[in-house]
Each structure stands twice: as C-alpha cells, then as structure tokens.
Amino acid sequence: FCRVCSFLPNRAMAALVGNARRVAFRTKDTLGSVARWHAANSKRAPVLTGFATCFTAGCCADTAVQSLNGSQLDYKRSLKFAIFTGCYGGVACHYIYVVAFGKLFGEGSGAATVLAKVALDQFVHCPFIYAPVFYIYHSVANAGTAAEGMERWRSEGMDMMKACWGLYIPFQLANFSVVPRDSRIAALCVCNGIWMLMLACFSQKKR
C-alpha cells in the first residue's frame, strides 16, 4: 500500500486521505446517532426496544452461524431463533436483570452486590431457567416435544453451561458493575452474538 501511495501525485494523495477522513467521521457520527437513539428508546420503551434489538441480533447471529457452517441459509430457522432471542433476551431478561435484580439487590455497583447478581444469574437462572426454556423451545419449534427438549437439557446442559460460564461470568461482572442500567440488555445482545459464533466454531471442530 505504501509503494502504491508513493506513486500518487500529492494532490491525489491529499484527496484520498481527505475522503478517508470524511468517511471515518461520517461513520463515527452515524454510530453515535444510533447509540443515542437506542439509549433514548431504551429509557422510553425498554421492553419494545429490547425485543427489537435482541430479535435483530439473534437473526444476524444465526445467519452468521449457518454461513460459517457452510450450509444453505434456512431463513425459517433464523426466524425461530430470533423469536426466542427477542422474547427471552429482550423481554424476559429485562424483567430479570433490570426489574427483579434491581428490587432484590438495588442499583449499587459494589463488589458484594455485583458478585451476588452474577452468582444468582449464572448458577440459578442460566442452568435452571434459561437453558431448559431454550431446549424446550428449540424442540417444540422443530416439531419435537417438551419432554425431548428436557432430555437434551439433561444430557447436554452441563457442557453448555461450562462454555457459558467461561464467557458470561466475566461479561456479567462488567455488565452489572460498569454498563448503565438501561443499556444492559443491548450489551447482552452483543455478548449473545459472540456466544452464537463460539457455538458455530465449536460445532465445526466436532465434525
């Protein structure tokens, strides 16, 4: 790239750098506007904003997973997954992390409060509520039964939780201590996307 630039006239080089700067500033302004819009709507309509954010993130994550696996895109599968992430991640998690945890532990960010929130989330909520609901939904949405979903949870749940703890324990420590209250669901969506990509890489190694 440096050799190519050395052959460009000074005027052309200045124009190239100027255009690159303008694109960078516009991108920064656009991302800033989106972040401000999301923050405002998270306060005004937290449940609807959470659902829309998690639905979109879930759809994008599942599409990426399918692409990484080299399979033909199944849009129905992505829709099913997005419905789950929207309803559970955007709606249920708002009432769990923002409402219920706020009433149980308050809004403090001290070490004891954060550790209590993470412990309850990772060792009670995730293994005994989130994971069973996920397996049951996945089974029923794919023409199976709730009993089959529970059987999968009993056989695969521990392996799933070990991987989950490696990612979500450090994330939730930061989420409950640093991230503003109304932005926690949006931050969770980002982590969920990383989680899905990790599952895709893991499934490829198992083949």
Side-chain angles (χ1 to χ4, degrees):
F1 179 75
C2 293
R3 291 182 179 179
V4 173
C5 291
S6 65
F7 289 105
L8 292 174
N10 291 335
R11 187 173 298 176
M13 185 61 188
L16 180 63
V17 172
N19 288 334
R21 286 178 177 174
R22 281 192 290 273
V23 170
F25 283 128
R26 287 176 182 173
T27 302
K28 181 180 178 181
D29 290 341
T30 300
L31 292 176
S33 298
V34 171
R36 288 189 293 272
W37 174 87
H38 190 277
N41 281 278
S42 293
K43 293 181 179 180
R44 188 180 304 113
V47 175
L48 181 60
T49 304
F51 175 84
T53 303
C54 291
F55 180 93
T56 303
C59 189
C60 293
D62 191 72
T63 301
V65 167
Q66 293 186 56
S67 299
L68 288 173
N69 284 334
S71 57
Q72 185 177 358
L73 291 181
D74 183 347
Y75 295 104
K76 289 184 178 180
R77 168 185 148 167
S78 296
L79 178 61
K80 292 173 184 177
F81 182 76
I83 290 173
F84 175 81
T85 57
C87 291
Y88 199 96
V91 179
C93 284
H94 167 78
Y95 288 105
I96 293 170
Y97 295 138
V98 179
V99 179
F101 277 28
K103 290 181 178 180
L104 285 172
F105 304 106
E107 298 302 330
S109 57
T113 301
V114 171
L115 288 174
K117 289 180 178 180
V118 173
L120 181 60
D121 176 46
Q122 292 299 305
F123 299 109
V124 178
H125 165 235
C126 284
F128 300 111
I129 301 176
Y130 165 76
V133 170
F134 172 78
Y135 279 111
I136 290 172
Y137 174 84
H138 180 77
S139 178
V140 173
N142 290 279
T145 65
E148 291 172 343
M150 289 299 293
E151 182 60 32
R152 282 196 62 194
W153 169 66
R154 283 189 285 267
S155 61
E156 302 175 8
M158 182 52 67
D159 290 335
M160 175 187 180
M161 291 313 305
K162 287 178 181 177
C164 178
W165 290 329
L167 175 65
Y168 280 95
I169 286 179
F171 167 78
Q172 290 289 49
L173 286 171
N175 197 26
F176 287 126
S177 60
V178 178
V179 178
R181 176 178 180 269
D182 294 316
S183 299
R184 287 172 187 164
I185 300 304
L188 185 65
C189 288
V190 176
C191 191
N192 287 344
I194 298 172
W195 169 245
M196 290 306 301
L197 294 176
M198 288 174 61
L199 288 181
C201 295
F202 179 78
S203 65
Q204 285 181 331
K205 289 180 180 179
K206 296 290 285 184
R207 289 182 178 180

